[in-house]
Amino acid sequence: QVQLVESGGGSVQAGDSLRLSCVASSILSSSVMGWFRQAPGKEREFVALIRWRGGTPLYAESVKGRFTISRGNARNTVFLQMNSLKPEDTAVYYCARGSRYERNPLAYDYWGQGTQVTVAS
């Protein structure tokens, strides 16, 4: 069973930055790693993804230019650097592993437990 553990969430002010981390027990060379978020009363939405073997990351329009997804130097680690945070970024953020270059959360097989990000105005 693949396990994903997120960390790095917290409560910040608008304009601040946070870096989320995701450590996976296993990532295949063919894997796609994604970050998603879910605000109260809303559906889970795509934030960013990256192919494990490399290539151009993909971002949601709402975070493009502010968030950066990257692989860590440590084994099986993915980061989400979030800058210029806005109150509308408030959500539980999830890391996920899939095998397709897809924004649809249904394309991902394994999920972490999530980490809360709260941005005050």
Side-chain angles (χ1 to χ4, degrees):
Q1 181 71 8
V2 176
Q3 294 184 323
L4 304 172
V5 179
E6 304 98 333
S7 61
S11 296
V12 297
Q13 296 292 316
D16 286 350
S17 297
L18 279 175
R19 188 175 80 159
L20 305 184
S21 300
C22 171
V23 178
S25 60
S26 172
I27 300 180
L28 306 176
S29 61
S30 58
S31 293
V32 174
M33 300 301 296
W35 283 98
F36 294 80
R37 66 186 182 186
Q38 188 166 17
K42 295 187 176 181
E43 293 187 352
R44 191 167 298 189
E45 66 172 1
F46 166 75
V47 175
L49 66 81
I50 189 169
R51 294 185 193 272
W52 197 243
R53 64 165 62 104
T56 303
L58 189 64
Y59 297 95
E61 284 299 319
S62 59
V63 307
K64 197 175 291 185
R66 300 187 298 123
F67 290 12
T68 303
I69 186 171
S70 63
R71 293 179 49 171
N73 291 327
R75 188 179 178 201
N76 294 348
T77 302
V78 181
F79 297 111
L80 184 68
Q81 177 67 42
M82 306 187 295
N83 298 330
S84 303
L85 283 162
K86 304 176 181 180
E88 51 263 43
D89 294 319
T90 295
V92 177
Y93 283 71
Y94 298 89
C95 175
R97 195 193 94 172
S99 57
R100 292 184 287 162
Y101 196 75
E102 286 273 359
R103 298 170 182 258
N104 190 335
L106 295 177
Y108 293 76
D109 304 305
Y110 302 101
W111 293 82
Q113 82 289 348
T115 185
Q116 176 71 48
V117 172
T118 303
V119 185
S121 57

